Amino acid sequence: MARLTSLSAPLSLFGWLLVLLSLITTCASHKIPLPTTDDSNSHHARLIQTLGTVPQWPIDIHDLNHAINHGTDYIVRHCNEHGKFTYLADTADPSRYDDSVKYNMLRHSGAIYALGIANARRPNRQIVDAMQRAVDFLKRESMAPVMNTKLGTVKDGDGERLLAVWSSETISGQKGQPPTAKLGGAGLALIALTSLEAVRRRSTPLDDMRSLARFVLFMQNDDGGFVSKYVPRKGGMDHSFVSLYYPGEAALGLLSLYEIDPDPRWLKGAAKAISYLYNLRRDLPLDNIEPDHWALIATSKLLSIMDGRDHDDCSQRAAVDHATKVCQSMVLGPDQLLKNGGCLVGDHRTCPTSTRIEGYAASLTFLPNATVTDQALRKLVEYNMDAGVRYLLRAQRVADDLNEASRGMMVGSFPGVYPPETDRSKECTEVRIDYVQHALSAMIGYERERFHHGKVRVSMLYRVAEAIGWGLRRLVLTILALALAVGVMLFARPKAKKLH
């Protein structure tokens, strides 16, 4: 009996350790739930019926976590001391591109946005410092007042100043390009600036962000649509180019500012933009609808702000119906996904796959509120996300994929095309900053919506492991080794003899 009593302490300790280890193992090997087949007889529902008979796309959350960390590290590592990102790189030949030649400020702002998402998931000083450098570069190199060659400084209808993000020959590397203020540049700049503002208050004067927002509204038409470019050399408003992606970027920028500066003008402008897209695409066939992931992200934020109420310029029903149709236009059936190897586009490009996953992740915040028929669409969206993320995990470059010259800088990157194709060798090794930015945003959105049901959850063990610079497995093994040592000591400790 005394022998059993002496064993109780170490056995109890080992029992708790086994429970802890089983929980860790369960978390690390958690698989995405498979779609069910209990929906209506719609077209998408019939596709759902086949999902149980085709291979699934299980995702290991531990692998996903590593991929997100590597992608984050890549963007941070490629933001230099001046705040400029490495715009183009090559996994086979690091010296292939001269990064001083070409740049894109819209993708620059997008990279800041992705870092903001990564930092919200797991706060890190290095991420925030990189965001700060990049925002400083954006302000220094591209943000300036709106000018007109005839009128001088341009102001809005209320006489307030306007700021824009300017693309020019100096920045873009496009010879002969006149200074151009793009609507998408202002929208994405607002997204980037508010992302940093969330972690570093007063990093940008509020009036500067308001001036960018006023420029967005200055470019908006009465029907909610926009003029895409402002070119002073052409007299101002340039109607020769129309981007159907800029309205979504502009709406998201306005909503991002509205969250920290609740001026009804920003919400009204965003609501009008989404309503415009709804009216524009309402009667279009699915094949003619753009895979507008920015509009889906903006719709998710708009519905959250509306909180169950309609806005005068956009009803909830219109917003959801538009987003549902965009999802319907993007989603692929199981046969096509198998043919593509999980890629969400037929030409095996990583970036369009990532942007679709970003849009899908945003849509999962409101698709449950869609009609019963559209619940079948939700399951197909989830199935597409599973396939797409599995594809991205294979496409991401790890140390074993790279030669010695590239290994230090290119780990965590995503090539433009995967798997490699002989006649597209350049695209198979080329890495642009937005390839990584969109993949990172996609994987984080996927993790949030598919594993954590819309909430960011990071285990305490992960936080401890990263805080001390260890991997999770190393930390767990160390805890087990210490526990074993304590158990042996307790078991081998001499027992005091009782006095008789």
Side-chain angles (χ1 to χ4, degrees):
M1 191 65 170
R3 180 70 169 172
L4 290 174
T5 303
S6 66
L7 285 171
S8 62
L11 285 176
S12 176
L13 179 62
F14 278 117
W16 282 109
L17 286 172
L18 287 172
V19 171
L20 175 63
L21 186 59
S22 67
L23 288 173
I24 295 169
T25 304
T26 300
C27 177
S29 62
H30 171 67
K31 303 298 183 183
I32 299 299
L34 302 183
T36 59
T37 58
D38 57 354
D39 280 298
S40 67
N41 292 322
S42 68
H43 169 67
H44 287 126
R46 288 196 296 273
L47 284 175
I48 286 293
Q49 300 297 325
T50 69
L51 293 187
T53 64
V54 298
Q56 304 299 310
W57 309 88
I59 306 297
D60 187 297
I61 196 171
H62 188 66
D63 293 340
L64 181 62
N65 176 68
H66 275 296
I68 291 171
N69 291 341
H70 284 316
T72 304
D73 291 344
Y74 178 90
I75 298 179
V76 171
R77 191 167 61 244
H78 284 264
C79 180
N80 67 21
E81 67 273 18
H82 304 295
K84 186 178 182 181
F85 294 104
T86 303
Y87 183 67
L88 277 174
D90 191 275
T91 59
D93 180 7
S95 62
R96 178 175 178 178
Y97 294 105
D98 178 3
D99 199 48
S100 64
V101 175
K102 185 177 181 181
Y103 207 68
N104 184 299
M105 290 307 301
L106 277 71
R107 290 165 181 153
H108 177 94
S109 295
I112 299 171
Y113 167 65
L115 289 179
I117 296 173
N119 187 72
R121 171 185 180 265
R122 192 167 300 174
N124 183 289
R125 178 65 180 270
Q126 289 182 317
I127 297 176
V128 179
D129 288 345
M131 292 173 67
Q132 182 71 68
R133 295 195 304 273
V135 162
D136 290 343
F137 180 87
L138 170 66
K139 295 176 183 176
R140 185 174 64 247
E141 300 295 336
S142 284
M143 276 179 57
V146 177
M147 306 291 289
N148 186 290
T149 52
K150 295 181 179 180
L151 303 176
T153 302
V154 177
K155 297 183 179 181
D156 68 4
D158 296 323
E160 296 184 282
R161 74 179 185 124
L162 307 175
L163 274 179
V165 173
W166 294 89
S167 298
S168 63
E169 181 179 342
T170 305
I171 291 292
S172 69
Q174 297 178 13
K175 193 171 182 179
Q177 180 187 8
T180 302
K182 299 178 181 178
L183 172 70
L188 288 169
L190 280 170
I191 297 167
L193 296 176
T194 54
S195 295
L196 180 61
E197 189 71 15
V199 289
R200 285 194 177 164
R201 298 297 303 275
R202 299 181 180 85
S203 56
T204 300
L206 183 58
D207 190 57
D208 285 354
M209 291 187 281
R210 288 171 173 168
S211 296
L212 279 169
R214 287 194 290 266
F215 173 73
V216 171
L217 297 183
F218 176 73
M219 301 290 281
Q220 190 169 36
N221 302 320
D222 290 340
D223 65 355
F226 294 90
V227 178
S228 294
K229 290 183 178 180
Y230 188 92
V231 185
R233 187 181 295 180
K234 294 183 178 181
M237 299 288 191
D238 181 5
H239 299 271
S240 64
F241 170 79
V242 176
S243 170
L244 294 178
Y245 296 100
Y246 284 0
E249 295 168 345
L252 183 58
L254 290 172
L255 292 170
S256 298
L257 177 59
Y258 180 82
E259 289 183 319
I260 62 175
D261 179 38
D263 187 322
R265 290 179 296 173
W266 318 145
L267 180 58
K268 181 179 180 66
K272 286 177 64 177
I274 297 301
S275 180
Y276 164 78
L277 292 175
Y278 166 72
N279 291 321
L280 178 70
R281 295 167 174 161
R282 178 174 50 189
D283 298 321
L284 290 178
L286 294 180
D287 290 343
N288 292 350
I289 294 177
E290 298 78 18
D292 195 347
H293 75 285
W294 287 115
L296 293 176
I297 299 171
T299 298
S300 176
K301 192 176 287 289
L302 175 63
L303 291 171
S304 175
I305 292 172
M306 290 166 69
D307 193 25
R309 298 180 298 273
D310 286 341
H311 188 276
D312 290 344
D313 294 284
C314 184
S315 68
Q316 293 182 89
R317 185 72 266 157
V320 172
D321 283 350
H322 167 257
T324 299
K325 193 164 187 178
V326 172
C327 288
Q328 288 174 329
S329 72
M330 298 191 302
V331 78
L332 299 179
D335 291 343
Q336 187 62 48
L337 287 172
L338 288 173
K339 181 181 178 182
N340 296 350
C343 184
L344 301 187
V345 288
D347 57 3
H348 299 115
R349 286 181 296 150
T350 59
C351 196
T353 295
S354 299
T355 57
R356 282 161 171 77
I357 296 170
E358 287 181 86
Y360 288 148
S363 73
L364 290 186
T365 65
F366 53 79
L367 277 183
N369 299 321
T371 64
V372 173
T373 301
D374 289 332
Q375 290 177 14
L377 173 62
R378 177 186 172 89
K379 291 182 171 64
L380 265 180
V381 163
E382 292 173 343
Y383 187 77
N384 275 250
M385 291 176 71
D386 295 347
V389 169
R390 185 70 176 268
Y391 166 80
L392 290 179
L393 292 179
R394 295 199 312 275
Q396 188 179 39
R397 302 297 81 191
V398 297
D400 291 344
D401 300 323
L402 303 167
N403 59 41
E404 189 172 347
S406 302
R407 196 165 293 152
M409 291 299 291
M410 300 307 295
V411 168
S413 63
F414 289 84
V417 170
Y418 182 85
E421 299 176 14
T422 305
D423 58 343
R424 302 168 74 184
S425 57
K426 178 182 177 182
E427 296 172 89
C428 295
T429 59
E430 181 182 85
V431 176
R432 211 166 62 191
I433 191 63
D434 56 311
Y435 299 168
V436 186
Q437 173 248 306
H438 285 298
L440 176 61
S441 301
M443 292 187 297
I444 293 176
Y446 177 86
E447 179 190 57
R448 181 187 66 243
E449 298 301 331
R450 295 291 278 132
F451 281 104
H452 303 323
H453 306 292
K455 298 178 181 179
V456 177
R457 297 178 186 171
V458 181
S459 73
M460 183 59 68
L461 283 175
Y462 271 122
R463 290 189 182 277
V464 172
E466 292 200 346
I468 61 179
W470 288 7
L472 179 64
R473 291 173 183 170
R474 181 181 176 187
L475 178 63
V476 171
L477 289 174
T478 302
I479 292 173
L480 290 175
L482 289 172
L484 180 61
V486 171
V488 169
M489 292 171 60
L490 290 173
F491 182 72
R493 184 179 61 183
K495 303 299 184 292
K497 295 181 179 180
K498 292 184 179 180
L499 296 176
H500 296 285

